[in-house]
Amino acid sequence: MTVLTLGRALNEGLRRAMRDDDRVVVVGEDVGRLGGVFRVTDGLQKEFGESRVVDSPLAESGIVGTAIGLALRGYRPICEIQFDGFVYPAFDQIVSQLAKMRARSGGRIALPIVIRIPCGGGIGAVEHHSESNEAYFVHTAGLRVVSCATPADAYRLLRAAVTCDDPVVFYEPKRRYWDKEEVDLNAAPASLDRARVLRKGTHCTLAAHGPSVATAVAAADAAAEDGVSVGVVDLRTLSPLDIETLTRAVRGSGRLITVLEAATTGGLGSEIAARVTETCFPELKAPVLQVGSYNLPYPP
């Protein structure tokens, strides 16, 4: 076991993937010489060379489009989108090409591409640097969407994402990059379709992912001081969504609150509320509630 920050755990996951498979390449803005704006790719270009850790132009559409071409030639690209709000120029490549190629080819063509996106606020940055845009990609058929919350889970989920033959949008909570915990570098990759029950509760369940998981755990600790038993479910994989694990937790508590940084309108919390209500209506003691951000652009 090694104590690592979340950012360093991702770095070790990338290094392990590149050592295990020489088809794995990393492409993005400043990922090479600089080591990424959050230093997640630090040292990789020095170890693996400029042909496998490629500093791209400032062109997100080109980054993802190039990765699609590489995947068609047998590579397993990992793209870094420098900040969450920078992904929009690549949106057409992701939803029109990357997500649809397997269905378009009748299952004959797979595009094993991971798109890493630092997400959320909390670091004092402005719009385009502090967004929570996961709902766009959860809504898009053909994509897996993953959101890590802790160093150990980040390492295991990234290893699973890199070996997956489906395209994976991989969200990393930027304000948690410096959180530390013990990480087993020999642990098996995590499942890409299973949520994680962090706490069991009898009065209420909180569902969260990525940057909001630590917030939900802190809320559960505060509630426990008042004698209220609050469970916490880390969703981890947003698409496919593990409704089975979530509904099992909700049946045990009778109440659910979704806790997300994203705006609530048309978001993942609404989907969870609808699915849980459909499945658990007889067991619910109160309506499902959503906690999220205001429906406004991120303030400067």
Side-chain angles (χ1 to χ4, degrees):
M1 303 287 281
T2 307
V3 176
L4 298 173
T5 63
L6 191 148
R8 187 65 187 181
L10 291 166
N11 179 273
E12 291 297 332
L14 292 169
R15 180 172 283 104
R16 173 72 177 268
M18 297 185 77
R19 286 174 178 170
D20 288 349
D21 189 343
D22 59 12
R23 297 174 299 168
V24 175
V25 296
V26 174
V27 183
E29 299 163 9
D30 297 322
V31 296
R33 193 173 303 176
L34 180 65
V37 69
F38 295 106
R39 302 301 186 267
V40 172
T41 56
D42 189 38
L44 296 182
Q45 191 179 77
K46 183 176 181 180
E47 181 173 347
F48 298 102
E50 295 183 6
S51 63
R52 293 189 65 197
V53 183
V54 181
D55 281 317
S56 73
L58 304 182
E60 286 76 18
S61 181
I63 292 170
V64 177
T66 299
I68 292 171
L70 286 167
L72 289 170
R73 293 300 296 266
Y75 291 90
R76 305 186 76 90
I78 303 171
C79 303
E80 178 179 296
I81 304 298
Q82 198 168 68
F83 282 93
D84 32 40
F86 295 1
V87 76
Y88 302 123
F91 192 77
D92 183 46
Q93 289 282 10
I94 295 170
V95 303
S96 298
Q97 309 302 331
L98 181 61
K100 294 180 172 59
M101 185 61 74
R102 176 167 281 183
R104 184 182 299 151
S105 65
R108 293 187 298 274
I109 298 176
L111 295 177
I113 297 172
V114 177
I115 300 177
R116 296 180 38 247
I117 306 177
C119 67
I123 63 167
V126 295
E127 62 173 343
H128 301 311
H129 296 73
S130 304
E131 302 187 17
S132 301
N133 47 28
E134 63 271 15
Y136 292 121
F137 301 114
V138 170
H139 182 72
T140 303
L143 298 175
R144 289 182 180 265
V145 183
V146 174
S147 181
C148 62
T150 67
D153 230 30
Y155 177 76
R156 296 180 62 224
L157 285 167
L158 183 60
R159 286 193 58 203
V162 174
T163 58
C164 180
D165 287 333
D166 297 322
V168 180
V169 178
F170 193 96
Y171 279 100
E172 304 166 6
K174 65 173 77 75
R175 68 184 166 118
R176 306 295 179 195
Y177 272 138
W178 300 274
D179 290 0
K180 294 181 179 180
E181 73 173 354
E182 288 188 339
V183 178
D184 182 1
L185 296 178
N186 294 314
S191 171
L192 288 182
D193 57 4
R194 283 290 176 266
R196 207 168 48 129
V197 178
L198 301 182
R199 306 275 181 90
K200 291 185 178 181
T202 57
H203 293 125
C204 182
T205 298
L206 304 180
H209 72 84
S212 299
V213 171
T215 305
V217 170
D221 289 341
E225 295 178 3
D226 293 331
V228 179
S229 175
V230 175
V232 178
V233 177
D234 176 2
L235 298 171
R236 295 166 97 206
T237 59
L238 311 184
S239 182
L241 192 63
D242 182 8
I243 286 294
E244 181 181 348
T245 296
L246 184 57
T247 53
R248 191 182 306 121
V250 172
R251 287 190 174 104
S253 67
R255 296 177 177 86
L256 174 66
I257 303 173
T258 63
V259 185
L260 309 173
E261 276 197 27
T264 55
T265 299
L268 185 62
S270 302
E271 172 69 12
I272 292 170
R275 305 263 309 263
V276 168
T277 300
E278 289 172 0
T279 307
C280 300
F281 185 77
E283 293 92 353
L284 286 173
K285 300 173 183 177
V288 178
L289 301 180
Q290 295 186 68
V291 174
S293 75
Y294 297 108
N295 296 304
L296 296 169
Y298 200 89

